[in-house]
Amino acid sequence: MNSEQRVSRGASNQQVARAGEYFVATELNKRGAYAVTFAGNMPKIDLLACNADQSRTVQIQVKTKKGRGSWHASIIDCIAMEAPPNPLDVITFWVFVELGQYDMAPGYWIAPDWWMRNDIYWAHQAYLDRHGVRRAKNPDSTHHSIEEKRLSKWRGEWEILGIFGA
């Protein structure tokens, strides 16, 4: 098997997305939280997770990629935001999954929703500034790519969910 076949895993986009959701649910359960995925397509929520005594529940949106490249999101609902004063006020998170090679464990980046929406907003504004305040190819597109380097501070940051331990 060549290296390109090992990276691509041969899965469809839908299979990749579902695999990411299952990997995140597995990781959360492995760490002592409870997590469930949704069978259907809930807008902007792929999993619910809670701590052992069910006193804190968080909503998670999962973005998954096979390997190289970027994750895909939308500019819709992305606005300039500030961090809430209390980190436990945050109940919605994004988990980015990189499946990578078929024989390796996935990589995870866990970011608060407010931070992602703020990051997408400012990255998109910078893009528009570079292209004369319009998209270069399709002015009506809402697509936004997210490169791994933008998420570097969030790699493996499971604890921000606030659902582990006693």
Side-chain angles (χ1 to χ4, degrees):
M1 181 176 292
N2 69 40
S3 64
E4 184 60 32
Q5 287 172 316
R6 289 197 319 239
V7 170
S8 75
R9 297 181 185 235
S12 71
N13 289 342
Q14 186 176 15
Q15 288 171 307
V16 169
R18 185 54 55 101
E21 293 168 11
Y22 289 144
F23 274 116
V24 171
T26 299
E27 189 67 29
L28 290 168
N29 281 287
K30 180 175 91 172
R31 291 170 177 271
Y34 293 98
V36 293
T37 62
F38 291 106
N41 190 12
M42 294 282 294
K44 301 180 184 181
I45 301 172
D46 297 309
L47 282 97
L48 285 178
C50 67
N51 56 0
D53 69 3
Q54 298 178 5
S55 62
R56 176 166 166 82
T57 300
V58 296
Q59 305 169 359
I60 298 173
Q61 181 175 106
V62 178
K63 298 288 186 184
T64 309
K65 66 178 184 170
K66 294 178 188 178
R68 294 182 295 266
S70 58
W71 289 278
H72 304 283
S74 171
I75 59 171
I76 294 175
D77 297 330
C78 292
I79 57 174
M81 301 180 83
E82 292 185 22
N86 180 354
L88 289 178
D89 288 344
V90 178
I91 61 164
T92 306
F93 297 86
W94 296 35
V95 176
F96 294 85
V97 181
E98 180 182 358
L99 297 180
Q101 293 187 359
Y102 76 100
D103 55 351
M104 295 179 69
Y108 302 99
W109 294 256
I110 305 90
D113 178 68
W114 71 264
W115 189 92
M116 282 312 310
R117 292 172 59 190
N118 187 57
D119 180 74
I120 291 170
Y121 174 82
W122 288 113
H124 185 65
Q125 293 307 308
Y127 169 86
L128 293 176
D129 290 346
R130 290 190 308 273
H131 293 91
V133 195
R134 308 186 44 154
R135 281 190 175 272
K137 295 181 182 175
N138 180 356
D140 297 327
S141 175
T142 61
H143 176 265
H144 183 82
S145 20
I146 301 169
E147 299 81 25
E148 185 177 320
K149 66 184 175 187
R150 286 174 42 199
L151 302 174
S152 61
K153 73 185 259 178
W154 301 111
R155 185 171 181 107
E157 290 294 323
W158 292 104
E159 293 302 320
I160 68 165
L161 299 175
I163 56 173
F164 305 109

